[in-house]
């Protein structure tokens, strides 16, 4: 919070019991739960009483709103640190009707205000040098035209899309009129760089809607690279229509073939209503207040092309009837003022969030208030929402702010399996991860080395566990709900090894080979994945994978007696191993000497070549392969062909620094992965 305590104000308990639950017909569950709101904070005392305020815009961490004070506009913002109120120096008066004929769009810390002046001209003012400097004022379309845009322009709205500013407005269209009150929606676009260059750009103008009878009151929002637009059609009340435009073409936008009905509202007369629209991640939400002396609050949401409408609040007393829509990390939300008819002096600032297919509304602030000064502005932030509103109950209009954190949402866990011993390096994806304090694997099992990479990505190391568990993330906004996407399954390799923590990359190979009897543990429940592999152990692995029998002329080794555990394996694999003469005659195998990378490459290629599964590379071919290694000279000339063949066949590879490191030892986990690769690629179905 940036401000002082609240003085002379009665505030309802934040995140109080839900006051309203409205079913959204056919709506799928959205978001991860209701947001947690902070206590309201007094952030600015306004200079003058605003007649209306625009919705809130959050851009680059800064907040922007436009307020209308009589015929003067002002930008209310916290850009640059701390809330301030800047005159926009718009000289044009809006005439006698002052029901919010302006809108705000922000891009790159430049605020653009779309408005209509007294002559009916559509205008844009912007602060390319910052809000404290003089503003630039340009004309989009002049008023007073006899046909087409500018005849009776009103209700302008703006959004930034595809590097351009798009301004939409409701305009009388006598050339297309079927009745005297027939109106259309027009959209004008100009490149942002043409505006900030200080000139008067050429605006491209397109007609977005079919002829719409009555007050149209458009609303726009940028959804990726398209412009989404809603407007009223069918006279006072009736349908709210939706249409999508793609930037480009001679008129600036190419519109979808025909509009779709977003909502059908009660026909009470909509002469005082205003609509807002928000779009993000393929979801649209539009909200409006419908009615004359009694105002209902309506909301319609669009997910996957299907619109669903709901009535959030009925029989609102006259006053602020314009709700504000936003789409945040916990789904669509709408802020509005609740003013019961039976107690028209008691106003509540409400926020409704779509959770599990139902709109759930909660009071963020309540007081005895002047009803026309609430104007709640809602905007999405990376981890939730921000809400601002005005209260002039004390005679000095005060801007209040409250922030909400959404519960995190987990959408993926990769990899989704790992050994029961834990130690698996995992990436968790989702939303609203900022400030994560813990990641749990089931009840009471906390992950280690948790690192919040971004609001959508966390890396960690899994704890030990069993079975399938839910991976949940806890942040100041709450704990993620358990969903199918957050499942992680602990796998115990065959043999029941419990010491494979940190070796999730090798656990499947170890489990497969243990089940086949190819690898064995060093003791009960232990595989010793970091342990080195001896010459005798590697001989045993080769014998088991390739089912080697005793050679026709076995070699008798002085250091491998018949009582040695690996006697048969050493005898079977000896044709492919180097061995050593001993003084006085005979040979030594050195069965307990650790095996290095050069030994592994040599023995494997000799065996595969002897069985006709590989051909050893010749000198020139081997040289071509080894020339890419930085330490090729450390490999004995007589063995270079074997190493080159192993590399070319994909059995082994060099290190990222370009070395092969022939004397480096392989641990038991690494050798298990190599042996399974050999089995899958070179051993036949019967193991021969």
């Amino acid at each position: 919070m940036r401000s002082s305590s609240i003085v002379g104000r009665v505030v309802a308990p934040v995140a109080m019991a839900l006051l309203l639950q409205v079913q959204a017909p056919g709506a799928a569950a959205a978001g991860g739960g209701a947001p947690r709101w902070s206590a309201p904070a007094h952030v600015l005392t306004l200079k003058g009483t605003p007649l209306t305020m625009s919705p809130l815009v959050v851009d680059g961490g800064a907040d922007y709103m436009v307020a209308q004070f009589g015929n003067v506009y002002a930008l209310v913002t916290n850009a640059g640190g701390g809330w301030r109120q800047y005159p926009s120096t718009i000289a044009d008066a809006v005439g006698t009707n002052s029901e919010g004929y302006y809108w705000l769009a922000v891009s790159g810390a430049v605020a653009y205000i779309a408005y209509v002046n007294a002559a009916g001209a559509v205008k844009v003012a912007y602060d390319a040098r910052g809000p404290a400097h003089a503003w630039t004022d340009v004309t989009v379309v002049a008023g007073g035209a006899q046909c087409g845009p500018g005849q009776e322009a009103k209700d302008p709205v703006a959004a930034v899309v595809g590097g351009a500013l798009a301004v939409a407005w409701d305009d009388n269209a006598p050339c297309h009129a079927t009745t005297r009150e027939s109106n259309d929606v027009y959209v004008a676009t100009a490149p942002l760089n043409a505006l900030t260059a200080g000139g008067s750009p050429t605006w491209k103008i397109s007609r977005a809607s079919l002829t719409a009878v009555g007050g149209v009151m458009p609303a726009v929002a940028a959804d990726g690279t398209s412009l989404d637009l809603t407007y009223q059609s069918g006279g006072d009340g009736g349908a709210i229509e939706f249409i999508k435009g793609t930037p480009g073409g001679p008129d600036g936008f190419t519109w979808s073939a025909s509009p779709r009905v977003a909502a059908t509202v009660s026909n009470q007369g909509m002469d005082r209503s205003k609509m807002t629209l928000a779009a993000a991640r393929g979801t649209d939400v539009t909200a409006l207040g419908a009615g004359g002396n009694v105002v209902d609050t309506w909301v319609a949401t669009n997910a996957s092309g299907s619109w669903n409408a709901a009535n959030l609040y009925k029989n609102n007393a006259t006053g602020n009837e314009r709700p504000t829509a936003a789409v945040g990390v916990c789904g669509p939300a709408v802020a509005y003022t609740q003013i019961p008819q039976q107690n028209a002096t008691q106003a509540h600032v409400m926020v409704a969030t779509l959770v599990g297919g139902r709109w759930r509304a909660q009071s963020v602030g309540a007081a005895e208030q002047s009803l026309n000064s609430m104007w709640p502005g809602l905007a999405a932030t990376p981890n939730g929402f921000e809400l601002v509103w005005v209260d002039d109950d004390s005679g000095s209009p005060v801007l209040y702010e409250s922030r909400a954190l959404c519960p995190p949402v987990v959408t993926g866990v990769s990899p989704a399996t790992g050994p029961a011993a834990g130690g698996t390096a995992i990436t968790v994806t989702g939303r609203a991860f900022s400030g994560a304090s813990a990641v749990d694997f089931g009840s009471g099992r906390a992950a280690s080395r948790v690192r919040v990479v971004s609001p959508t990505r966390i890396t960690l190391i899994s704890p030990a566990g069993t079975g399938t568990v839910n991976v949940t993330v806890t942040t100041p906004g709450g704990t993620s709900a358990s969903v199918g996407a957050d499942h992680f399954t602990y796998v115990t390799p065959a043999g029941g090894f419990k010491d494979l923590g940190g070796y999730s990359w090798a656990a499947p190979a170890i489990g497969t080979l243990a089940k086949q009897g190819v690898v064995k543990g060093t003791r009960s429940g232990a595989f010793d994945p970091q342990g080195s592999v001896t010459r005798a152990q590697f001989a045993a692995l080769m014998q088991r994978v390739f089912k080697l029998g005793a050679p026709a002329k076995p070699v008798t080794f002085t250091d491998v007696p018949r009582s040695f555990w690996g006697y048969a394996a050493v005898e079977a694999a000896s044709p492919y191993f180097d061995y050593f003469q001993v003084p006085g005659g005979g040979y030594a195998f050195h069965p307990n000497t650790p095996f290095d990378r050069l030994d592994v490459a040599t023995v494997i290629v000799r065996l595969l070549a002897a069985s006709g599964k590989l051909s050893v590379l010749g000198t020139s071919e081997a040289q071509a392969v080894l020339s890419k290694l930085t330490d090729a000279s450390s490999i004995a000339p007589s063995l270079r062909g074997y190493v080159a063949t192993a590399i070319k066949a994909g059995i082994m590879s060099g290190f990222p620094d370009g070395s092969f490191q022939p004397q480096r030892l392989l641990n038991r986990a690494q050798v298990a992965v190599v042996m399974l690769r050999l089995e899958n690629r070179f051993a036949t179905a019967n193991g021969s």
Side-chain angles (χ1 to χ4, degrees):
M1 284 303 139
R2 307 178 179 85
S3 65
S4 60
S5 61
I6 302 171
V7 178
R9 179 178 174 81
V10 179
V11 180
V14 177
M16 62 183 289
L18 299 182
L19 299 178
L20 172 72
Q21 293 192 20
V22 178
Q23 179 71 40
R36 294 183 178 181
W37 289 94
S38 64
H42 172 181
V43 294
L44 182 66
T45 298
L46 298 174
K47 301 173 183 178
T49 301
L51 299 173
T52 60
M53 295 192 75
S54 77
L56 178 69
V57 176
V58 176
D59 182 76
D63 310 304
Y64 302 82
M65 294 183 75
V66 178
Q68 181 185 354
F69 299 88
N71 289 337
V72 177
Y73 297 101
L75 184 70
V76 180
T77 179
N78 73 354
W83 285 87
R84 290 179 174 83
Q85 177 180 340
Y86 295 100
S88 67
T89 66
I90 297 176
D92 292 296
V94 297
T96 57
N97 191 333
S98 58
E99 291 191 34
Y101 286 178
Y102 63 90
W103 205 260
L104 177 70
V106 179
S107 178
V110 177
Y112 301 87
I113 301 175
Y115 70 102
V116 173
N117 70 2
V122 181
K123 309 273 284 185
V124 170
Y126 58 94
D127 63 337
R129 297 176 56 207
H133 299 274
W135 288 50
T136 303
D137 194 23
V138 299
T139 298
V140 178
V141 58
Q146 295 300 310
C147 182
Q151 176 70 13
E152 193 178 323
K154 56 188 176 183
D155 298 322
V157 289
V160 174
V161 58
L165 179 68
V167 179
W169 68 94
D170 164 9
D171 209 340
N172 187 283
C175 289
H176 313 291
T178 56
T179 67
R180 186 174 60 85
E181 294 185 352
S182 179
N183 289 61
D184 282 350
V185 176
Y186 292 87
V187 178
T189 57
L192 291 177
N193 56 12
L195 286 167
T196 55
S200 295
T202 300
W203 293 83
K204 293 183 177 181
I205 301 175
S206 64
R207 180 168 168 255
S209 75
L210 302 176
T211 300
V213 179
V216 175
M217 293 165 294
V220 292
D223 180 11
T225 58
S226 66
L227 186 74
D228 294 358
L229 184 149
T230 55
Y231 57 90
Q232 175 198 349
S233 67
D236 292 336
I240 304 302
E241 294 187 345
F242 168 83
I243 194 168
K244 182 182 288 287
T246 303
D251 296 330
F253 273 92
T254 301
W255 299 96
S256 51
S258 60
R260 287 177 288 166
V261 175
T264 301
V265 301
S266 58
N267 190 11
Q268 297 185 41
M270 296 173 61
D271 56 302
R272 295 176 60 85
S273 67
K274 304 291 179 187
M275 277 192 292
T276 58
L277 176 69
R281 298 194 311 272
T283 298
D284 300 277
V285 54
T286 187
L288 70 152
N293 293 327
V294 177
V295 179
D296 287 0
T297 299
W298 286 83
V299 62
T301 55
N302 171 34
S304 303
S306 177
W307 280 93
N308 294 283
N311 192 339
L312 291 183
Y313 189 69
K314 297 181 180 180
N315 299 322
N316 214 30
T318 186
N320 181 326
E321 69 276 8
R322 182 177 61 194
T324 308
V327 183
V329 292
C330 50
V334 175
Y336 59 97
T337 304
Q338 179 174 292
I339 311 172
Q341 271 198 305
Q342 64 272 22
N343 187 3
T345 62
Q346 182 69 45
H348 293 262
V349 179
M350 305 291 294
V351 177
T353 311
L354 187 60
V355 180
R358 289 182 177 272
W359 285 98
R360 302 187 181 185
Q362 56 192 127
S363 174
V364 178
E368 302 288 338
Q369 313 202 31
S370 297
L371 305 183
N372 285 324
S373 63
M374 299 291 285
W375 301 112
L378 181 69
T381 61
N383 264 22
F385 296 100
E386 183 176 358
L387 177 71
V388 295
W389 68 94
V390 177
D391 171 32
D392 67 354
D393 202 35
S394 63
S396 296
V398 172
L399 185 69
Y400 286 94
E401 175 192 51
S402 182
R403 292 178 177 268
L405 293 174
C406 290
V409 177
V410 175
T411 59
V413 177
S414 179
T417 61
T424 305
I426 290 174
T427 297
V428 179
T429 53
R431 304 190 296 272
F433 287 165
S434 294
S437 57
V439 180
D440 291 327
F441 282 61
S443 177
R445 290 193 288 266
S448 61
R449 292 166 56 184
V450 175
R451 177 172 174 257
V452 181
V453 179
S454 71
T456 61
R457 183 167 171 255
I458 294 175
T459 60
L460 51 86
I461 301 297
S462 67
T466 58
T468 297
V469 299
N470 296 102
V471 179
T472 57
V473 177
T474 298
T475 71
T479 299
S480 60
S482 296
V483 293
D486 67 13
H487 285 176
F488 180 84
T489 300
Y490 286 100
V491 178
T492 301
F497 303 125
K498 300 177 181 179
D499 59 348
L500 298 181
Y503 289 86
S504 58
W505 53 271
I510 294 170
T512 299
L513 294 176
K515 187 176 181 180
Q516 297 173 352
V518 173
V519 298
K520 304 179 186 300
T522 56
R523 60 187 184 279
S524 177
F527 182 75
D528 187 20
Q530 284 187 300
S532 60
V533 176
T534 66
R535 287 167 56 85
Q537 289 170 341
F538 196 79
L541 291 173
M542 296 295 288
Q543 181 200 35
R544 294 166 190 161
V545 168
F546 291 97
K547 302 295 187 289
L548 301 178
K553 295 181 179 181
V555 178
T556 300
F557 296 105
T558 60
D559 54 355
V560 184
R562 287 184 175 274
S563 59
F564 181 68
W565 69 267
Y567 174 82
V570 170
E571 185 181 60
S574 62
Y576 315 110
F577 279 73
D578 290 323
Y579 41 87
F580 315 92
Q581 285 187 330
V582 296
Y587 298 95
F589 187 78
H590 298 176
N592 297 318
T593 299
F595 223 41
D596 60 28
R597 286 169 53 82
L598 180 59
D599 294 328
V600 170
T602 301
V603 169
I604 289 174
V605 172
R606 281 174 176 167
L607 185 149
L608 294 175
S611 59
K613 299 180 187 298
L614 276 182
S615 295
V616 180
L617 296 179
T619 302
S620 60
E621 293 176 297
Q623 180 59 33
V625 174
L626 298 181
S627 64
K628 300 176 183 178
L629 299 178
T630 60
D631 56 353
S633 61
S634 64
I635 302 172
S638 62
L639 302 179
R640 289 176 184 174
Y642 299 120
V643 174
T645 303
I647 292 174
K648 185 175 181 179
I651 298 169
M652 299 182 72
S653 62
F655 290 92
D657 64 358
S659 66
F660 185 76
Q661 301 181 32
Q663 277 72 53
R664 184 168 177 170
L665 301 181
L666 277 74
N667 62 37
R668 288 167 55 81
Q670 293 168 331
V671 170
V673 172
V674 171
M675 298 311 296
L676 184 63
R677 189 181 303 154
L678 286 174
E679 181 179 88
N680 290 335
R681 290 184 58 188
F682 297 106
T684 61
N686 61 10
S688 60

